[in-house]
DNA sequence: TTTAAACCATAGTATTTTTGTAGGTTTACA
DNA sequence: TGTAAACCTACAAAAATACTATGGTTTAAA
């Protein structure tokens, strides 16, 4: 049960953009150097963020990426979901889950569904603005 | 970000034991048939549960496994941790995590740590007795 | 003493996911 | 028109997952 590096990198990317001027296009090359992530890998991570409309791209020379909205208008959850798709802890909870014959008699589905709620409630309670505000410890995010 | 089948099976195993008489040894062969999990795979899952002291084994004929305590005395969290080890969402939060040079300036570690807390708080709030009580829907586990 | 069970080891394997790399095409600014 | 950037497609190495197979040793109840 681990989040992927793409998930982690995506958050770092978005924080990097959030810490720039709102109208400034930042090229991936620059982020690549700051964050020690290869340009090509960055591309793969930025693409779904762009497709989801979380960032705006400018092509050609002097192009790059910038946020589409204010940092306070993003949740960590929607960033992670742009990369992961649905943020569910087990396959049975996916939207197009194959209908399991045990479903009606499953003793654990409710538990997993509750975990799903707890996770999504948490990640949607943290905004990009929260992340942007200087490095913080764990305590700052405890409920 | 998915829990493994071993995690899911481990919960189902424990529920199965919880639904038997407390002093009854249940052989893996029986659970294997009930849950459609191969005997050999079951062994692999039961071993860490046994080593962690969550179940008691009886060897020889008429042997099998039974719970070591009452269902209400287990949390889902400790069952999952017996299988997974630490239940952390990213490597940086593991106990023996390589010390990251960015740690002091990381904008996202606090977020992940908060998620870690949310997850562990939830899984430790559900007991095996809760799971045992008939199949339940998601709503029964929402906070 | 037969039998059924845990326990132990170890290996193999197929599949999927993760974590990237490589190379080219299109766009738009200066 | 040169240049720097996004954009697109494909490939590939490594790791994790989810098993199966094999074959035994030890234990204890009937």
């Amino acid at each position: 049960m681990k989040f992927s590096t793409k998930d982690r990198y995506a958050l770092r990317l978005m924080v990097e953009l959030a810490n720039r001027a709102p109208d400034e296009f930042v090229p991936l090359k620059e982020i690549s150097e700051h964050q020690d992530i290869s340009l090509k890998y960055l591309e793969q991570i930025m693409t779904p963020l762009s497709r989801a409309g979380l960032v705006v791209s400018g092509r050609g020379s002097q192009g790059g990426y910038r946020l589409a909205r204010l940092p306070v208008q993003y949740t960590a959850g929607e960033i992670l979901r742009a990369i992961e798709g649905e943020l569910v802890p087990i396959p049975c909870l996916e939207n197009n889950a194959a209908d399991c014959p045990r479903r009606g008699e499953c003793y654990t589905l409710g538990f997993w569904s509750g975990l799903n709620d707890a996770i999504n409630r948490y990640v949607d309670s943290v905004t990009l603005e929260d992340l942007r505000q200087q490095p913080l410890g764990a305590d700052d995010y405890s409920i």
Side-chain angles (χ1 to χ4, degrees), chain A residues 5 33 40 46 53 60 63 65 77 80 83 94 98 105 110-112 114 117-118 122:
Chain A
T5 43
E33 284 157 7
K40 285 304 192 178
M46 200 57 107
Y65 293 96
L80 295 175
I83 300 296
E94 278 163 8
E105 41 174 328
F111 163 77
W112 292 115
D117 293 346
Y122 173 76

Side-chain angles (χ1 to χ4, degrees), chain A residues 18-123:
Chain A
N19 277 330
R20 303 304 190 96
D23 54 350
E24 178 192 0
F25 278 113
V26 183
L28 284 188
K29 191 185 175 195
E30 207 175 311
I31 300 180
S32 167
E33 284 157 7
H34 265 217
Q35 303 279 345
D36 284 320
I37 306 172
S38 88
L39 185 63
K40 285 304 192 178
Y41 201 31
L42 267 188
E43 273 187 11
Q44 283 186 32
I45 296 163
M46 200 57 107
T47 298
L49 296 178
S50 180
R51 293 233 170 96
L54 301 189
V55 296
V56 172
S57 67
R59 303 184 64 163
S61 183
Q62 311 301 312
Y65 293 96
R66 61 175 173 78
L67 293 186
R69 327 167 206 151
L70 294 173
V72 74
Q73 292 173 311
Y74 295 87
T75 69
E78 70 178 322
I79 298 170
L80 295 175
R81 279 188 295 267
I83 300 296
E84 281 241 351
E86 295 176 84
L87 218 57
V88 293
I90 57 166
C92 319
L93 289 174
E94 278 163 8
N95 249 334
N96 60 345
D99 42 336
C100 174
R102 296 171 177 281
R103 192 162 194 118
E105 41 174 328
C106 185
Y107 285 83
T108 53
L109 186 60
F111 163 77
W112 292 115
S113 180
L115 176 57
N116 185 49
D117 293 346
I119 291 173
N120 281 278
R121 200 180 311 119
Y122 173 76
V123 298

Side-chain angles (χ1 to χ4, degrees), chain A residues 117-143:
Chain A
D117 293 346
I119 291 173
N120 281 278
R121 200 180 311 119
Y122 173 76
V123 298
D124 286 332
S125 76
V126 177
T127 71
L128 186 53
E129 178 66 24
D130 295 329
L131 297 178
R132 195 191 67 76
Q133 318 257 3
Q134 298 302 321
L136 295 173
D139 296 343
D140 301 294
Y141 290 94
S142 60
I143 301 170

